[in-house]
Amino acid sequence: RKTVASRLKTYIGGGITNAQTFRLTTDFADGADPIASNWEEVDTDGYGQLGSNVSESSGVFSFSATGIYLIIWNHVAILDGDDRQVYSSINTTGDNSSYGIAAEVREFIQQTSSSSAMCTGGCFHQFDVTDTSNQKVSFSVGVLNESTATKGDSEFTRTGVQFIRLGDT
C-alpha cells in the first residue's frame, strides 16, 4: 500500500535533485561583464552539494541537465567613499553568445563614518533550461566609482550564487 508521500513523489517528479552554491574567492575593484575569474564551488562549513549539474568556466555557468532552475544571486560591495550606483545582474543566453539581463539589483554606498561602507543586494531568476548546449548564465557588476570593490572570500560566501533545480522542464 502506497503512502501519501510516495504517491506525491510520483506526481511531482521526486523532489529537488540538484542544489549547488558558487562564490567569488577574492575582491575586485570596478565593474566586470561578466565576472570571469576567481569562482569556486563552496567547500567549507559543512557545505551540502546536491548533484553536479552546474559547472563554471571563465565566468560562464553551464548546465548538464535540462530542467527549471532557480538562480539566487547575492552581491556585496565595499568602498571608502560614496557610489550612487552599484548594480549587478544575472545574465542569460539562449544561443551561447548573446547575453541579456534576466534580473538586476541596484544598490548605493554612502559613507557615514571614517571607515569603509558596504552594501549588499540580491536578485533571482527562474531559468527554463531546455538546451544544455546553448542556454548559459553569467553575472555582471557595474559601478560609477571605479574604486568600488566586489567582495569575495574563499572561507565563507560573500558574493555568490545558488542554483536549485526545481524540476523537469
Side-chain angles (χ1 to χ4, degrees):
R1 186 162 208 234
K2 286 189 171 186
T3 66
V4 172
S6 68
R7 281 184 279 169
L8 281 174
K9 186 175 180 179
T10 301
Y11 291 114
I12 61 173
I16 293 172
T17 57
N18 194 97
Q20 291 174 258
T21 304
F22 295 82
R23 65 182 170 209
L24 287 178
T25 59
T26 58
D27 299 353
F28 68 88
D30 207 357
D33 183 18
I35 303 170
S37 59
N38 300 316
W39 287 101
E40 73 171 0
E41 187 165 3
V42 171
D43 58 0
T44 56
D45 301 302
Y47 170 63
Q49 177 195 45
L50 179 60
S52 59
N53 292 356
V54 181
S55 61
E56 179 273 333
S57 177
S58 299
V60 174
F61 291 81
S62 301
F63 304 87
S64 64
T66 61
I68 299 184
Y69 289 81
L70 177 59
I71 304 166
I72 304 168
W73 167 246
N74 187 66
H75 176 250
V76 178
I78 190 168
L79 177 65
D80 186 5
D82 292 349
D83 193 335
R84 293 292 177 216
Q85 191 164 202
V86 179
Y87 54 95
S88 61
S89 61
I90 300 170
N91 309 305
T92 60
T93 181
D95 64 7
N96 195 24
S97 177
S98 302
Y99 283 81
I101 296 172
E104 181 182 68
V105 61
R106 291 191 177 245
E107 313 150 74
F108 70 92
I109 297 174
Q110 183 174 8
Q111 187 176 21
T112 57
S113 68
S114 61
S115 61
S116 297
M118 295 177 80
C119 67
T120 186
C123 57
F124 51 88
H125 179 65
Q126 231 167 271
F127 193 36
D128 185 2
V129 178
T130 58
D131 179 352
T132 58
S133 296
N134 290 305
Q135 288 180 280
K136 303 189 184 209
V137 175
S138 69
F139 302 89
S140 298
V141 171
V143 297
L144 291 181
N145 185 330
E146 63 188 30
S147 296
T148 300
T150 293
K151 295 298 287 176
D153 200 294
S154 62
E155 296 299 318
F156 58 92
T157 304
R158 285 187 160 173
T159 297
V161 59
Q162 186 172 38
F163 295 91
I164 303 170
R165 186 181 181 279
L166 299 173
D168 295 337
T169 183

